[in-house]
Amino acid sequence: MKGLLIKDFHLLKVQRNFFLLIAVIAIGFIVSSNGNNGFISYAIGFSCFASSLFSISTISYDEFDNGNPFLFSLPFTRKNYVLEKYCFGIIIGFSFWILSNALTFVYLLFRGFSISEDRLVSSLILIPFFLLILAVMLPLTLKFGGERSRYAIIGIFGGILLLGYVSANIIKILPMDLSSVFAFLLSLSTGTVIAGVAVITLVLLLLSLKISISIVDRKEF
């Protein structure tokens, strides 16, 4: 798997301009935020989301010019190939998360803004967000390929938005009182919420990994 990671990091050199563009946009949002937590969270979230695209792009490079038959003739298992894509995506995502947070904290300290607990929590919440995006995008890309997976991803997120809209309208029509549920959720401590989100994210990520391994095992090259 080490060799696959080295290969993918070398592929990133081709996209160094994209790296620069992400950094410039993130810095622009941070500087123009004037300490606004929403803008800062958006800048960090954008960096994490954009970085997750690198893992997807390496799959497209592997498929380019019918490269997979040669690639899978090398001494590694299909399971190792899938594991490497997840590890690579997580490494890149966390790297951008750490970098954007470091830039944010330097900016806040320089401008005299406080680093409150809310800022730290909103930053931590972005980690499961980008991991869930990775968990959705990787199986779809491995299944449909780099080009067709884009349409599948748009369809899935569109379906989720539609489901949310329909569910919200159903809740309005039906005599359901969700105030007790919201009150219970608000009563939970920050640590409990973070631990619960972390467990759910880990379970979904492992499920995604299992699905991806199954997809690649069934592929013929």
Side-chain angles (χ1 to χ4, degrees), residues 181-189:
V181 177
F182 289 121
F184 171 74
L185 292 174
L186 291 172
S187 67
L188 296 175
S189 65

Side-chain angles (χ1 to χ4, degrees), residues 14 24 31 65 67 81 85 93 102-104 109-110 128 139 141-142 149-150 157 173 175 180 188 199:
V14 182
V24 168
V31 171
D65 203 15
Y81 177 81
K85 293 304 177 188
L103 290 171
T104 298
L109 291 173
F110 180 76
T141 306
L142 290 168
S149 64
R150 296 172 190 172
F157 281 106
I173 295 170
S180 58
L188 296 175
V199 170

Side-chain angles (χ1 to χ4, degrees), residues 2 17-18 20 22 25 36 51 62 64-65 68 73 94 103 127 133 145 147-148 163 174 176 183 216 218-219 221:
K2 181 181 176 181
N17 290 335
F18 191 32
L20 270 172
I22 292 173
I25 293 173
N36 184 286
S51 66
D62 292 342
F64 181 71
D65 203 15
N68 273 332
S73 68
F94 268 104
L103 290 171
I127 295 175
I133 290 175
E147 189 64 34
R148 288 188 296 167
L163 181 63
L174 297 176
M176 298 173 64
V216 175
R218 290 198 300 267
K219 271 193 169 184
F221 300 109

